[in-house]
Amino acid sequence: MAAGKGTRLKSRRPKVLHEIGGQALLLHVIAAAKAIAPATQIYCIIGHQAEIVRAAAASTGVHFVLQPEQRGTGHAMQQLREHLIASGQPAPENLLVLSGDVPLIQPSTLQALCNFHLAERAAMTILTAVPPNPTGYGRVLRVSDTSSEVQAIVEQKALTDDQLSAPEINSGIYCFRTSALFAQLDSLSTNNAHGELYLTDVAALLAAHRERVVAICSSGPTEEVLGANTIEEMMHLDAAMRLATARRLMAQGVTIFRPETSVIDAQVEIGPDTILQPFVQLLGNTRIGSNCRIGSYNVLENTQLGDNVLIRPNCVIADATIGDDAKLGPFSHLRPGSQIGPEAHIGNFVETKNAKIGRGAKANHLAYLGDATLGSNVNIGAGTITCNYDGEKKYPTAIGDGAFIGSNSTLVAPVSVGETAYVGAASCITEDVPAGALALGRNRQVTKPGWVSARKQAAKRCD
Ligand code: UD1
Ligand code: CA
């Protein structure tokens, strides 16, 4: 169910597309569902900003069911029923219902829920939890404390005074015998605080029809079944998720100082003996080898690192690859398409973009290398700029193995510098430099001995 408005978020973005752990809530939920069922058997109910949600989840391969008006979770199930009838597909015997805003749910918990549902031969099985603060959630009222059977789910706003302390919450995740669920959907009413059709009311309806309604309390951490209705709740789940990722990595031999300060997306992988200093962000599809050291305040996105890489603090790196034993930073900016070779050094205030840097090459200070290919052991002096853009098009610069570019040089692309060639400091290079040559592209220095005192004497004469 991903059709709701998310009114409590006060956001223009659909609630289920808000991100935790670097991924939209809905994509977390679909991933959990796909771990136990093929995408072709998964139906995603969309409604509020449906096309945006559909586009964001299209690549998962699930079916979409439109709920054009969002009249509650019971109404969402009515739309599913109509969709299945219209499609002519036989309804599955049992149905697992997930909420698009309960993102930390794990496949093992879903599997346990399904197994319990089948073993109990229940018409409805509710996944529950007993969190420290149940306020805001629907409460599951069992027949007795020791029974797995449920009388009803009561929404927060409908709780009587003596029900207010009921500790067991409805996670919004259920299993149904499909025929039993569908048979009750038309009996739902809007006689409640929100004027909506509540799926939760199906519990009492089924119980009244002597159908078996049971609950299973989740045995995992409570965050796993908590919902995200507000930004604050989302950030709580985000922190829980990232801490779980940090714990997973630490268990694999990664040292993370002050793990509560690191922001690591769920799919990031890191080899053993790598050390993360505090306040590091590792985002997207980032993979880091072993024995690397990542200094504080580094932000790495979709970046692949080899082994033994040192990244000093304060680098911003996106869509880049970095070879073994390379050294970066502090304050390097590696933009998409940067391929830093093994043992290369990229230093402070060096920006690379679509640049291939050869083995052992060095650009240690203040340079821009865009659309450039550098061979091995090239030395780039401070202040070197590849002028790759003429206002309309981009052009390449090629620098051969072992070439030396003097400080403050500008290389006007398209241009090449051959192997072992030298470019004198402060040169503006507009023509190719052959291998082994020295190129000087600057004015010869003019020196005027005694010029200062001569000027002073001339000034005196004028007085
Ligand atoms: C719901 C439950 C509550 C439970 C809580 C757990 C109901 C009536 N209440 O409350 O007992 O404790 O979840 O998190 O179900 N949705 C639709 N179509 C709609 C309305 C909602 O698809 O017309 C989707 C939403 O996008 C969301 C999910 O259903 O992903 C739950 O809806 P929400 O409004 O957040 O329900 P809660 O008030 O949290
Ligand atoms: Ca909710």
Side-chain angles (χ1 to χ4, degrees), residues 8 15 101 227-229:
R8 286 160 283 186
K15 170 163 71 175
D101 64 348
N229 296 314

Side-chain angles (χ1 to χ4, degrees), residues 8 15 73 99-102 136-137 171-172 226-230 233:
R8 286 160 283 186
K15 170 163 71 175
T73 45
S99 285
D101 64 348
V102 181
Y137 288 89
S171 67
L226 295 187
N229 296 314
T230 63
E233 285 170 354

